[in-house]
Amino acid sequence: KGLFPGKRISAATIDNCGWIYLAVSPGTGVRSGVYVSKNDGVRFTKLGRNDSQSYIRDLEMYEDRRILYASTYGESLLRYEMPAGCR
C-alpha cells in the first residue's frame, strides 16, 4: 500500500542532510501537498498550509537559504521554509 495509498507522488528531492521531500497530489485520505521525512521515510510531516488542492509538478531547493519551491501545473509557485536543524 505504501506511505501514501491512493496518492500520486509527483516530485521528490533529498537535501544534504538526507531529509526526503515529497510532493503528493490531491485525492482522498491524506492531505496533498509537500511532506518531509527526517528519518529515511519512516514518518512524514506536512510542510505549509493552504496547498491541499495544488497539483505540484516539481520541487527545487535552495539549501543555503533553507527554502523549497514547488511549481504547480499552471497555478502558482509555492514557497516553503525548510525545517531547521541541519546545516
Side-chain angles (χ1 to χ4, degrees):
K1 291 186 176 185
L3 295 170
F4 297 98
K7 296 289 189 166
R8 180 174 173 258
I9 306 297
S10 56
T13 191
I14 299 174
D15 68 14
N16 62 5
C17 298
W19 297 352
I20 303 166
Y21 298 82
L22 296 179
V24 180
S25 294
T28 59
V30 173
R31 290 185 346 164
S32 302
V34 177
Y35 288 79
V36 61
S37 174
K38 299 179 183 180
N39 54 12
D40 292 327
V42 173
R43 188 179 93 125
F44 281 86
T45 304
K46 183 145 178 18
L47 292 179
R49 298 181 286 211
N50 303 320
D51 62 354
S52 61
Q53 295 303 313
S54 297
Y55 285 87
I56 296 171
R57 180 177 181 185
D58 195 18
L59 298 173
E60 183 73 33
M61 68 174 58
Y62 293 87
E63 291 190 66
D64 58 329
R65 296 181 188 159
R66 303 300 298 162
I67 296 172
L68 179 70
Y69 289 101
S71 61
T72 66
Y73 285 95
E75 297 170 351
S76 61
L77 181 66
L78 305 173
R79 177 185 163 147
Y80 300 89
E81 300 293 325
M82 294 168 62
C86 176
R87 287 282 172 181

